[in-house]
């Protein structure tokens, strides 16, 4: 449990937006 | 009374400011291209916030918090899928459409369809009519949020608040076209972001902090702290519909459907420079994701506060959970909450409403009148007709919002995004990236997608519930129709495909 959430949920809600942001950053840097 | 008075003054000043933006923008309107695509001259932040604000509607604030209130963390996927739609629109549709439009001068996405699918009337007419109809339905949906906020906060009758809200938006949109909408989006986007950054954290800490909220949610139903509800059909409770299967259809509906929506995708033609498409996807995603995460967690906080009897939602309304954002904000900012919340939600509603009105105006004047009625229409008459169409669409949608039964309305609005997915996503992706896609394929895809989404939505609503959002079945039909019919018909000429930069690339390295 992290801040009252199951670890899977906590990791999921952080890692998905971060991963998408990194992909969009990659798009910008490869321009 | 004194506070009501100050609150009213603040809101009136905000409205006057918006109309002033319209008046300033109207001085820039020299021709119909200025009115309809802001002279292709919007700067980076105006363009980025225009895309975000066009998608970010009143329901984005109220409905997101309401869904969070009702279902908990499994609905957090909405906060991924919707911001991603802004990035998908800019990156996958915008980069290439803007590049081609800089050579061809497209004013609406129908100009692209007519060119790429060598169908000056068939595809253009079909796409424009569908676009006008779903924009009208979507517009009626926006009014529901306007009236919820104004009548709840200022205790004025529902009908009055509708007319005031719609009148202000109509005024600045008619005055300044996309220039005014772009400038207003800059103000509205900043208001929404600042507003939720202020309200969100204060509500969360008032509810006892994130950990406490999560423990309360888990106490209500342990699945409320998971990433989805268990895969059973039908769901074990009305709120437990966000199963893995349903979430897949939610991705298609929100990420692709909103990206291809007429009031969103046309904005890509208004950017000043193709270089904006480098950083705009990331900027739009991050800004929008921050707004939506905070709105959603405010909904969780409201659920926790209600279950601990700190606040209570209004009784006797059709959708009490959609009031959770307003009621929670009222609890933590009892004195100056009314104007604060009103400005956040009204900014979100108006920034979508204005773009929907202009979409209807531009489709009526540019795609229907100029192409089907009077080919030699002058610049002045196009702009004038756009303005008249915006005024007329406001009157028609106000009438519909007034007279329609809310239940049918909710179903139509829910279906409207589905129509965007089933009608526009396949022709856009196939047109831009698949050299084999033909005119007949595009037309079949649009029409069968429309029929499919209606049939499945009707089935899901009135006959038996389905495990996924009905629009995904319509989308599957539109995809199959595009592939099968295209392969059966004659391939477009190489010259046309090169003119429209068609192929499996986003940026054409050879010509760059």
């Amino acid at each position: 449990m992290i801040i009252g959430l199951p670890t899977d949920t906590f990791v999921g809600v952080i890692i998905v937006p971060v991963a998408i942001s990194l992909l969009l950053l990659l798009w910008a840097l490869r321009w | 009374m004194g506070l009501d008075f100050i609150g009213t003054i603040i809101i009136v000043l905000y409205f006057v400011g918006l109309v002033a933006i319209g008046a300033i923008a109207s001085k820039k309107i020299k021709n119909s291209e200025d009115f309809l695509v802001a002279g292709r001259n919007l700067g980076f932040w105006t363009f980025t916030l225009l895309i975000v604000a066009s998608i970010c509607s009143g329901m984005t604030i109220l409905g997101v918090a309401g869904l969070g209130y009702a279902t908990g963390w499994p609905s957090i996927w909405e906060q991924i899928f919707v911001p991603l739609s802004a990035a998908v629109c800019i990156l996958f549709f915008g980069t290439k459409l803007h590049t081609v439009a800089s050579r061809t001068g497209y004013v609406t996405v129908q100009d692209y369809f007519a060119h790429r699918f060598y169908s000056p009337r068939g595809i253009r007419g079909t796409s424009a009519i569908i676009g006008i109809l779903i924009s009208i339905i979507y517009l009626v949906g926006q009014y529901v949020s306007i009236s919820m906020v104004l009548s709840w906060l200022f205790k004025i009758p529902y009908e009055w608040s509708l007319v005031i809200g719609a009148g202000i938006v109509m005024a600045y949109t008619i005055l300044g076209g996309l220039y005014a909408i772009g400038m207003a989006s800059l103000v509205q986007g900043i208001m929404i972001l600042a507003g939720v950054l202020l309200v969100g954290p204060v509500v969360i800490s008032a509810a006892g902090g994130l950990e406490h909220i999560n423990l309360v949610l888990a106490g209500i139903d342990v699945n409320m702290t998971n990433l989805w509800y268990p895969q059973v059909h039908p769901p074990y409770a009305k709120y437990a519909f966000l199963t893995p299967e349903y979430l897949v259809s939610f991705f298609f509906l929100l990420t692709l459907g909103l990206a291809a929506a007429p009031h969103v995708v046309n904005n890509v033609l208004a950017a000043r420079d193709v270089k904006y498409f480098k950083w705009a996807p990331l900027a739009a995603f991050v800004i929008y994701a921050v707004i939506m995460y905070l709105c959603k967690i405010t909904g969780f906080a409201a659920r926790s506060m209600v279950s601990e009897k700190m606040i209570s939602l209004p009784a006797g309304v059709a959708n009490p959970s959609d009031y959770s954002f307003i009621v929670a904000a009222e609890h933590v900012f009892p004195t100056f909450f009314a104007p604060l919340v009103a400005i956040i939600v009204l900014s979100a509603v108006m920034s979508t409403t204005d773009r929907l009105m202009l979409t209807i105006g531009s489709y009526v004047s540019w795609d229907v009148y100029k192409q089907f009625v009077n080919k030699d229409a002058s610049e002045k008459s196009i702009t004038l007709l756009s303005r008249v169409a915006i005024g007329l669409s406001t009157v028609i949608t106000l009438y519909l919002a007034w007279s329609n039964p809310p239940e049918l309305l909710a179903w139509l609005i829910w279906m409207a995004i589905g129509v965007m997915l089933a009608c526009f996503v396949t022709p856009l992706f196939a047109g831009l990236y698949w050299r084999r896609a033909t005119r007949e394929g595009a037309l079949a895809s649009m029409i069968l997608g429309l029929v499919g989404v209606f049939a499945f939505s009707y089935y899901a609503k009135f006959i038996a519930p389905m495990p996924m959002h009905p629009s995904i079945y319509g989308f599957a039909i539109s995809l199959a129709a595009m592939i099968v019919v295209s392969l059966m018909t004659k391939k477009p000429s190489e010259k046309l495909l090169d003119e429209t930069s068609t192929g499996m690339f986003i940026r054409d390295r050879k010509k760059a």
Side-chain angles (χ1 to χ4, degrees):
Chain A
M1 300 285 275
I2 306 174
I3 55 161
L5 287 174
T7 308
D8 285 359
T9 305
F10 179 79
V11 171
V13 299
I14 301 287
I15 206 166
V16 174
V18 168
I20 292 171
S21 301
L22 287 174
L23 284 172
L24 294 171
L25 180 67
L26 185 67
W27 157 257
L29 294 175
R30 285 196 56 206
W31 183 277
Chain B
M1 179 65 214
L3 285 167
D4 280 358
F5 182 68
I6 293 169
T8 308
I9 295 286
I10 291 174
I11 297 293
V12 168
L13 281 176
Y14 181 55
F15 285 173
V16 169
L18 287 173
V19 177
I21 284 177
I24 294 166
S26 72
K27 296 194 183 310
K28 293 186 165 196
I29 308 291
K30 302 280 183 281
N31 55 42
S32 61
E33 201 167 277
D34 286 341
F35 190 79
L36 298 176
V37 287
R40 304 175 202 282
N41 202 18
L42 294 183
F44 178 83
W45 287 108
T46 308
F47 167 65
T48 303
L49 283 173
L50 172 65
I51 297 269
V52 170
S54 295
I55 303 173
C56 184
S57 66
M59 274 297 128
T60 301
I61 309 283
L62 302 177
V64 159
L67 189 62
Y69 178 94
T71 67
W73 284 94
S75 66
I76 197 77
W77 291 98
E78 184 185 30
Q79 281 50 68
I80 305 292
F81 298 159
V82 174
L84 190 55
S85 75
V88 166
C89 174
I90 298 167
L91 203 164
F92 288 103
F93 299 152
T95 312
K96 192 178 280 191
L97 277 175
H98 186 279
T99 306
V100 179
S102 64
R103 303 194 293 260
T104 56
Y106 301 146
V107 170
T108 66
V109 74
Q110 273 73 246
D111 288 339
Y112 168 72
F113 282 149
H115 183 191
R116 167 66 182 82
F117 293 119
Y118 41 98
S119 166
R121 296 166 79 99
I123 297 251
R124 180 194 296 275
T126 308
S127 175
I129 298 291
I130 296 173
I132 290 168
L133 289 177
I134 59 173
S135 294
I136 285 177
I137 293 172
Y138 213 75
L139 194 50
V140 175
Q142 295 304 313
Y143 292 163
V144 177
S145 325
I146 291 188
S147 62
M148 266 172 72
V149 174
L150 287 180
S151 55
W152 169 259
L153 293 176
F154 296 104
K155 315 296 179 213
I156 54 176
Y158 168 83
E159 291 84 359
W160 282 34
S161 54
L162 268 186
V163 171
I164 294 169
I168 298 293
V169 181
M170 183 185 83
Y172 74 76
T173 306
I174 286 182
L175 278 168
L178 193 57
Y179 260 123
I181 292 173
M183 289 162 72
S185 288
L186 201 55
V187 175
Q188 290 156 337
I190 291 168
M191 292 284 182
I192 298 167
L193 188 58
V196 297
L197 282 171
L198 178 64
V199 171
V202 177
V203 169
I204 292 162
S205 72
L210 201 47
E211 183 161 11
H212 180 75
I213 293 168
N214 289 331
L215 293 172
V216 174
L217 289 181
I220 297 169
D221 178 343
V222 71
N223 285 319
M224 286 184 87
T225 55
N226 288 336
L227 283 172
W228 46 73
Y229 283 92
Q231 182 66 57
V232 287
H233 183 70
Y236 66 83
K238 198 173 176 186
Y239 62 82
F241 64 96
L242 291 166
T243 62
E245 238 178 68
Y246 193 91
L247 285 167
V248 169
S249 65
F250 221 38
F251 164 79
F252 282 94
L253 178 71
L254 297 174
T255 301
L256 301 183
L258 283 170
H263 65 283
V264 180
V265 74
N266 282 291
N267 290 327
V268 302
L269 302 173
R272 183 184 304 151
D273 189 336
V274 74
K275 285 204 288 287
Y276 294 172
F277 292 81
K278 175 177 175 179
W279 287 104
L282 179 63
F285 177 78
V286 171
I287 291 170
Y288 206 171
V290 167
I291 292 171
M292 290 198 78
Y293 259 69
L294 281 168
C295 284
K296 177 67 61 145
I297 296 173
T298 304
F300 300 161
R303 182 64 185 259
S304 165
M305 287 155 86
V306 166
S307 79
E308 299 192 317
K309 305 207 183 314
M310 294 163 72
I311 57 174
S312 60
L313 296 185
V317 294
N319 47 348
S321 62
D322 285 349
Y323 284 83
S324 60
F325 185 88
I326 306 178
V327 174
E330 181 180 26
H331 176 74
V332 294
F333 296 115
T335 47
F336 62 96
F337 90 97
L340 175 71
V341 176
I343 284 180
I344 298 172
V345 181
L346 287 172
S347 294
V349 178
M350 289 179 160
S351 63
T352 303
T353 305
D354 57 15
R355 183 62 250 215
L356 284 162
M357 286 180 180
L358 184 71
T359 302
I360 297 168
S362 64
Y363 282 23
V364 167
S365 64
W366 185 261
D367 289 311
V368 177
Y369 180 74
K370 189 177 156 76
Q371 299 296 328
F372 290 87
V373 181
N374 179 3
K375 277 218 176 279
D376 306 318
S378 69
E379 284 288 333
K380 273 203 159 89
S381 63
I382 293 286
T383 307
L384 177 65
L385 183 63
S386 299
R387 287 173 157 152
V388 171
I390 291 166
L392 274 178
S393 70
T394 309
V395 173
I396 292 170
T397 46
L398 275 175
Y399 173 76
L400 289 173
W402 226 307
S403 60
N404 250 4
E407 177 110 350
L408 177 68
L409 190 64
W411 180 67
L412 280 172
I413 293 162
W414 194 217
M415 204 178 64
I417 310 181
V419 172
M420 298 167 192
L421 170 65
C423 294
F424 299 130
V425 172
T426 303
L428 270 171
F429 268 120
L432 291 166
Y433 297 104
W434 190 37
R435 289 176 77 90
R436 195 65 188 77
T438 69
R439 171 179 61 191
E440 294 78 7
L443 204 53
S445 165
M446 256 183 215
I447 291 171
L448 291 177
L450 182 69
V451 172
V453 80
F454 261 93
F456 284 106
S457 295
Y458 182 86
Y459 183 88
K461 172 78 182 171
F462 298 108
I463 300 175
M466 306 174 82
M468 297 168 94
H469 190 279
S471 63
I472 193 158
Y473 307 105
F475 175 61
I477 291 173
S478 82
L479 199 57
M482 172 61 89
I483 294 170
V484 172
V485 176
S486 283
L487 291 176
M488 287 163 57
T489 47
K490 191 170 166 292
K491 188 182 174 183
S493 76
E494 292 296 316
K495 178 174 165 292
L496 175 83
L497 293 171
D498 291 340
E499 261 176 26
T500 51
S501 292
T502 305
M504 291 296 281
F505 55 84
I506 296 178
R507 295 175 61 226
D508 195 342
R509 307 280 175 181
K510 281 173 295 191
K511 290 177 186 167

